[in-house]
């Protein structure tokens, strides 16, 4: 009889211990079910990976037959897992959903030694709202690159081994191997991970050399395997540079530099002012929370009061002269990278802090990953969810652990300040989470039946996709410009191009020559050209701002059979036109 109460007590303890993780699973699962699949859309980058998977399973090889700038690990994983399921949309959904949820659970596990249960509940809201279910196309489910999500999983798994590195030598090798696998998925994330794992050199000096050396050995072993796969693909070094743009072998095309500046937030004229104002407002909020901590702790030291009230009064006085609101109006997203590096700096000076090596290493990792959206205030850019994922944790480490201990006041006021921060962050985080969940079921999406199931593009493309399904015949060779969007898989045709994306930077003069030479020998049976703007690259759309030679070649040999809002479908002319002017 005594065993039953004991089992019940252990079950309750387990539920309480894992309540935060269960909340995360429940919130994301309920959101996915509530949305009813309306967020399942292969348009743009997400569809590229659907095509990658099936084409590799059909015998085409990365880098030789399919051009990709990423490491080989993620395409291989997609192809291996999708083949048994016939590359169905159910598989595709789960193949994108599961890694994002695993990444969230790993981040919550990494926060356990440093944050309370209530603090981690705020972290759940941040993860859901800013990354996992962020407004499309930022969300980590159906992201711009599943390779980035895989790399985050491997990287955070490596950092989970750091706090317990003295328990066995294998942990260092394992951490290095995980960082190497991250490199094989998404190169820059893997490099950020291995740099973060070297933090014990700073915190432990000579004692950290053994850990770092073993990490580098494991990292080199995993990275070498990736290099062998790339070099064994049968592509020449010139092709890896010119066709695949494989980083770091290839330099970044000029069009991508412009895109990177825009995504990072540096293309706006007032980015310095916006960054300064956000830091200013955050400083006011920090001082107000510190003031609340002093009040709740009933601080008696006048010096501590003045060290908080003085700077706060100066900031508020300056706001009065500038005609600004005295209430803090913080836009924290543009400060995410800065906050991550602030964790590194503050932990550097706090030599007695437990877990100092993790603070420095993970803060460095989060800051480097966040460079992609360095000062951007856009929550819905394609790179936002991945960039802000690790900074969800560094924000809480900064505001709940490091900042309270550096402000005037003793340990009592610091504890109260942490509680105030939690009460401030908790509703804010779940407000973002609610917005992210609501975006899953966004209006204006229409169902389109395909051979693999229903997808839900926006209304502008819905009618075009439906017409494509009627026009294309299974087994035909099709060319989709400027993006394939996975339509070759969805409608049972073969993609005629080795490029799965033909946006600026990919479709340069060399690529046009390669494609035209290829199509002269074996032209596509059908061509679909989407009305896809390209202003983020600083040019007009295909046929006007880029791809002029290929567009002229198509116009001379193909005729439109359907011209709808969103794009057009072309079939070969009976008699090719000898010469047509460029568009």
């Amino acid at each position: 009889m005594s065993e039953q109460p004991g089992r019940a007590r252990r079950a309750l303890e387990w539920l309480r211990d894992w309540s935060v993780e269960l909340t995360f699973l429940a919130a994301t699962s309920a959101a996915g079910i509530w949305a009813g699949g309306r967020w399942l859309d292969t348009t743009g980058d997400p569809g590229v990976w659907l095509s990658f998977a099936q084409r590799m399973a059909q015998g085409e090889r990365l880098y030789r037959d399919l051009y990709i700038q990423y490491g080989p690990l993620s395409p291989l994983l997609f192809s291996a897992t999708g083949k048994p399921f016939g590359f169905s949309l159910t598989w595709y959904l789960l193949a994108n959903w599961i890694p994002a949820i695993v990444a969230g659970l790993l981040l919550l596990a990494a926060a356990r030694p440093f944050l309370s249960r209530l603090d981690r509940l705020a972290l759940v809201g941040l993860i859901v709202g800013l990354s996992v279910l962020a407004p499309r196309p930022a969300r980590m489910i159906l992201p711009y690159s599943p390779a980035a999500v895989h790399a985050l999983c491997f990287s955070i798994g490596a950092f989970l081994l750091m706090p317990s590195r003295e328990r066995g030598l294998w942990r260092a090798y394992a951490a290095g191997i995980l960082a190497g696998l991250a490199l094989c998925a998404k190169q820059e994330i893997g490099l950020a991970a291995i740099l973060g794992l070297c933090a014990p050199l700073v915190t432990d000096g000579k004692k950290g050399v053994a850990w770092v050396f073993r990490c580098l050995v494991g990292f080199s072993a995993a990275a070498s395997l990736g290099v062998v796969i790339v070099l064994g693909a049968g592509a020449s070094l010139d092709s890896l540079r010119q066709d695949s743009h494989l980083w770091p072998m290839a330099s970044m095309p000029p069009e991508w530099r412009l895109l990177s500046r825009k995504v990072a937030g540096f293309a706006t004229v007032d980015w310095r002012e916006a960054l300064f104002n956000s830091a200013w407002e955050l400083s006011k909020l920090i001082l107000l929370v510190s003031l609340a901590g002093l009040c709740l702790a009933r601080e008696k030291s006048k010096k501590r009061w003045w060290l908080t009230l003085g700077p706060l009064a100066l900031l508020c006085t300056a706001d009065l002269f500038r005609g600004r609101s005295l209430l803090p109006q913080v836009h924290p997203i543009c400060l995410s990278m800065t906050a991550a590096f602030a964790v590194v700096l503050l932990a550097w000076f706090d030599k007695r802090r437990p877990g100092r090596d993790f603070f420095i290493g993970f803060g460095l990792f989060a800051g480097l990953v966040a460079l992609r959206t360095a000062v951007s205030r856009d929550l819905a850019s394609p790179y936002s969810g991945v960039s802000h994922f690790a900074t969800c944790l560094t924000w809480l480490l900064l505001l709940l652990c490091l900042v309270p201990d550096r402000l005037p006041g003793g340990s009592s006021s610091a504890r109260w300040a942490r509680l105030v921060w939690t009460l401030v962050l908790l509703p804010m985080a779940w407000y973002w989470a609610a917005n992210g969940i609501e975006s899953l079921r966004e209006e204006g999406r229409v169902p389109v039946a395909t051979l693999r199931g229903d997808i839900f593009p926006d209304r502008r493309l819905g009618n075009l996709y439906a017409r494509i399904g009627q026009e294309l015949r299974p087994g035909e060779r099709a060319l989709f410009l400027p993006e394939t969007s996975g339509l070759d898989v969805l409608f049972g045709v073969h993609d005629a191009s080795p490029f799965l994306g033909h946006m600026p930077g990919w479709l340069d003069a060399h690529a046009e020559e390669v494609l035209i030479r290829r199509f002269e020998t074996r032209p596509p049976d059908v061509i679909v050209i989407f009305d896809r703007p390209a202003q983020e690259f600083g040019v007009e759309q295909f046929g006007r701002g880029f791809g002029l030679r290929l567009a002229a070649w198509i116009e001379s040999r193909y005729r439109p059979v359907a011209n709808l809002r969103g794009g057009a479908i072309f079939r070969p002319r009976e008699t090719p036109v000898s010469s047509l002017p460029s568009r």
Side-chain angles (χ1 to χ4, degrees), residues 199-430:
L201 282 178
V202 175
T203 59
D204 297 347
K206 293 182 179 179
K207 293 181 180 179
V209 171
W211 160 269
V212 172
F213 175 77
R214 295 185 181 97
C215 280
L216 291 174
V217 169
F219 176 81
S220 300
S224 298
L225 179 60
V227 171
V228 169
I229 294 173
V230 171
L231 296 180
S236 66
L237 294 180
D238 285 341
S239 178
L240 290 174
R241 284 192 295 266
Q242 295 184 42
D243 299 323
S244 291
H245 298 285
L246 184 65
W247 189 86
M249 295 179 61
S251 59
M252 182 181 291
E255 298 89 346
W256 294 2
R257 293 194 188 98
L258 176 62
L259 174 64
S260 296
R261 281 184 55 81
K262 290 182 177 179
V263 170
F266 293 122
T268 57
V269 177
D270 62 342
W271 70 266
R272 292 179 181 84
E273 181 182 356
L275 187 67
F276 173 79
N277 288 334
S278 293
W280 181 281
E281 298 295 330
L282 180 62
S283 299
K284 279 201 305 186
L285 184 58
I286 288 173
L287 290 170
L288 284 171
V289 172
S290 176
L291 187 62
L294 292 173
C295 291
L296 292 170
R298 298 179 181 179
E299 179 60 51
K300 297 180 180 179
S301 172
K302 293 182 180 180
K303 179 181 178 181
R304 290 174 176 174
W305 279 97
W306 281 113
L307 287 175
T308 302
L309 287 171
L312 181 61
L314 288 175
L315 293 178
C316 291
T317 303
D319 280 341
L320 286 174
F321 279 106
R322 296 165 67 193
R324 296 172 57 90
S325 172
L326 295 180
L327 294 176
Q329 298 177 353
V330 184
H331 298 283
I333 297 303
C334 66
L335 294 172
S336 291
M337 180 195 70
T338 306
F341 288 135
V343 168
V344 178
L345 186 62
L346 292 176
W348 174 290
F349 290 110
D350 193 353
K351 299 185 182 300
R352 296 182 179 181
R353 176 164 296 278
R356 179 170 171 251
D357 52 353
F358 179 86
F359 278 67
I360 293 176
F362 192 82
L364 179 62
F365 166 75
L368 291 174
V369 173
L371 278 170
R372 177 63 69 90
T373 56
V375 296
S376 174
R377 297 171 64 175
D378 187 2
L379 270 175
S381 79
Y383 309 101
S384 178
V386 169
S387 293
H388 294 312
F389 180 72
T391 59
C392 290
L393 177 54
T394 50
W395 266 117
L396 296 186
L397 294 178
L398 177 69
L399 298 177
L400 299 177
C401 300
L402 293 169
V403 167
D405 292 340
R406 306 293 296 187
L407 292 174
S411 58
S412 177
S413 61
R415 284 195 302 270
W416 281 108
R418 280 193 287 270
L419 178 60
V420 173
W421 271 120
T422 301
L423 296 177
V424 169
L425 292 171
L426 197 58
M428 184 186 302
W430 280 95

